[in-house]
């Protein structure tokens, strides 16, 4: 599909699921700073998650689950101060988890499962005070103490199985 964004900056949500959407993340999304929901689940998107997503500071819901996105998570996603859900499971993302914290005060759901993340779980995750559900299962080699989650009083599910 072709979407022409010229002359309008009022797109508040884009939901395209199970459509076979392919290619890289569309650059025109950066033209909608007031977007509240972006869900491009179950497609064939490739390439990296672009830094410009971090500039969509009104974003409440980000779902890119079940694509073929690769590379590391951009630190810029840590600027999504309104986001309540980040769903990036079932991709080919890799590297270390970013030290998001402080600014993601409304984040309730974080799904980074079924990727290839490695290294220590960042202690900055302890700053995600609203977090209720976190899925980190089935990554390449996430490790370390789970002390980052001890202070999260709203936590109702923590999925870590399937890591080395």
């Amino acid at each position: 599909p072709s979407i022409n964004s010229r002359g309008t900056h009022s797109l508040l949500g884009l939901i395209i699921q199970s459509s076979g959407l392919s290619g890289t993340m569309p650059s025109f999304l950066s033209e909608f700073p007031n977007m509240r929901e972006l869900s491009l689940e179950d497609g064939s998107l490739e390439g990296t998650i672009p830094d410009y997503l971090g500039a969509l500071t009104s974003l409440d819901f980000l779902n890119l689950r079940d694509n073929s996105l690769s590379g590391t998570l951009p630190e810029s996603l840590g600027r999504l101060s309104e986001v309540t859900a980040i769903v990036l499971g079932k991709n080919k993302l890799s590297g270390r988890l970013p030290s998001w914290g402080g600014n993601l005060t409304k984040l309730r759901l974080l799904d980074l499962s079924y990727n290839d993340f490695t290294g220590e779980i960042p202690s900055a995750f302890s700053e995600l005070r609203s977090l209720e559900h976190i899925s980190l299962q089935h990554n390449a080699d996430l490790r370390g103490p789970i002390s980052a989650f001890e202070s999260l009083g709203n936590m109702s599910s923590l999925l870590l199985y399937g890591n080395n």
Side-chain angles (χ1 to χ4, degrees):
S2 176
I3 299 175
N4 183 349
S5 64
R6 297 188 211 310
T8 178
H9 294 276
S10 61
L11 182 67
L12 296 179
L14 180 61
I15 302 169
I16 302 175
Q17 297 178 335
S18 303
S19 68
L21 184 66
S22 62
T24 59
M25 290 284 297
S27 61
F28 74 83
L29 295 173
S30 65
E31 298 176 30
F32 301 102
N34 296 320
M35 185 180 297
R36 306 230 357 108
E37 183 173 356
L38 177 60
S39 183
L40 305 176
E41 181 179 0
D42 194 16
S44 298
L45 290 173
E46 299 176 325
T48 60
I49 295 174
D51 277 332
Y52 70 73
L53 287 184
L56 304 179
T57 55
S58 295
L59 206 59
D60 174 63
F61 184 79
L62 175 61
N63 180 6
L64 303 175
R65 182 176 180 78
D66 207 1
N67 280 284
S68 293
L69 295 167
S70 59
T72 60
L73 288 178
E75 289 285 343
S76 65
L77 294 183
R79 294 194 305 260
L80 297 176
S81 59
E82 296 298 316
V83 75
T84 60
I86 297 176
V87 182
L88 303 174
K90 290 191 174 182
N91 278 288
K92 298 175 182 177
L93 300 168
S94 60
R96 295 186 175 277
L97 296 177
S99 294
W100 297 332
N103 206 30
L104 300 179
T105 59
K106 297 180 181 180
L107 187 64
R108 294 190 333 251
L109 168 66
L110 179 61
D111 179 1
L112 302 175
S113 63
Y114 294 91
N115 280 291
D116 293 314
F117 293 114
T118 59
E120 297 281 326
I121 296 170
S123 61
F125 276 25
S126 66
E127 298 173 27
L128 303 173
R129 300 278 187 218
S130 297
L131 204 57
E132 297 172 7
H133 308 281
I134 185 164
S135 297
L136 298 175
Q137 75 269 21
H138 291 286
N139 275 285
D141 187 24
L142 286 178
R143 59 187 179 282
I146 59 171
S147 58
F149 306 108
E150 289 176 354
S151 63
L152 302 179
N154 293 324
M155 181 71 66
S156 63
S157 68
L158 172 62
L159 303 173
L160 297 171
Y161 61 88
N163 287 289
N164 289 332

